[in-house]
Amino acid sequence: MAKLLFVCLGNICRSPMAEFVMKSVTNQHHIESRATSSWEHSNPIHAGTQAIFKKYQIPYDSHKSSQQISTSDFETFDYIIAMDDQNLRDLKKMAPSPFKDKIVSFANQPIPDPWYTGDFEQTYQLISQGCHDWQERLVN
Ligand code: 4NP
């Protein structure tokens, strides 16, 4: 069992989407999500991401709230998965040096931020594909 941590800027749009989509794809791993920033601290999952969960019947925790990544998270998780290139750069700067190698990109392309694009469907399609790819990667 691997411990996976999905990370985006606010932890209200993309990384919680990846968290609960991945939980719907596999029950073999420990999966959580965090923010690089504290901007949305304690705020709920964005209504646009919740609408995607409902549309695709993906179970999720409606009480989950935004949490910034902590030093202990870098130690605890096996894979710290950045949703875009800025998240990747920020995480590399934030991580204590022994843990920098745990930081990887979610996919070959950055996942567009629906906070700016407004397109939660496009983000969902990329996250769904990416989560299936991760599942393949972890079983092989
Ligand atoms: P996320 O989207 O990183 O996918 O959760 C954002 C959420 C909030 C903000 C930016 C991006 N914000 O500026 O507060």
Side-chain angles (χ1 to χ4, degrees):
M1 187 190 85
K3 295 191 184 119
L4 312 181
L5 188 66
F6 296 104
V7 186
C8 63
L9 179 59
N11 191 215
I12 59 168
C13 298
R14 293 165 297 170
S15 62
M17 195 186 287
E19 174 183 346
F20 293 106
V21 170
M22 192 68 190
K23 284 175 174 167
S24 77
V25 166
T26 176
N27 53 19
Q28 293 170 324
H29 304 292
H30 179 96
I31 301 161
E32 295 186 34
S33 65
R34 299 284 189 274
T36 55
S37 76
S38 60
W39 298 353
E40 296 288 344
H41 178 72
S42 84
N43 286 341
I45 298 173
H46 194 287
T49 289
Q50 294 199 39
I52 289 286
F53 293 150
K54 289 173 189 145
K55 178 176 178 183
Y56 292 98
Q57 297 185 310
I58 295 161
Y60 71 102
D61 176 5
S62 58
H63 300 294
K64 185 202 155 47
S65 62
S66 174
Q67 198 179 326
Q68 189 176 24
I69 193 166
S70 69
T71 304
S72 66
D73 291 328
F74 287 108
E75 194 172 344
T76 300
F77 287 89
D78 301 311
Y79 294 92
I80 297 168
I81 304 171
M83 302 309 293
D84 69 24
D85 296 341
Q86 186 62 51
N87 304 151
L88 190 78
R89 284 191 292 273
D90 289 342
L91 286 166
K92 291 268 185 194
K93 274 186 243 161
M94 295 165 86
S97 41
F99 308 126
K100 287 190 198 289
D101 290 347
K102 294 181 175 184
I103 300 163
V104 292
S105 291
F106 177 74
N108 292 332
Q109 63 182 117
I111 303 303
D113 191 341
W115 175 265
Y116 301 109
T117 66
D119 193 343
F120 286 82
E121 183 65 38
Q122 174 202 34
T123 292
Y124 170 72
Q125 294 300 333
L126 292 167
I127 284 179
S128 178
Q129 181 63 57
C131 286
H132 286 92
D133 292 346
W134 266 97
Q135 174 63 359
E136 285 288 302
R137 174 176 172 177
L138 292 168
V139 291
N140 292 320

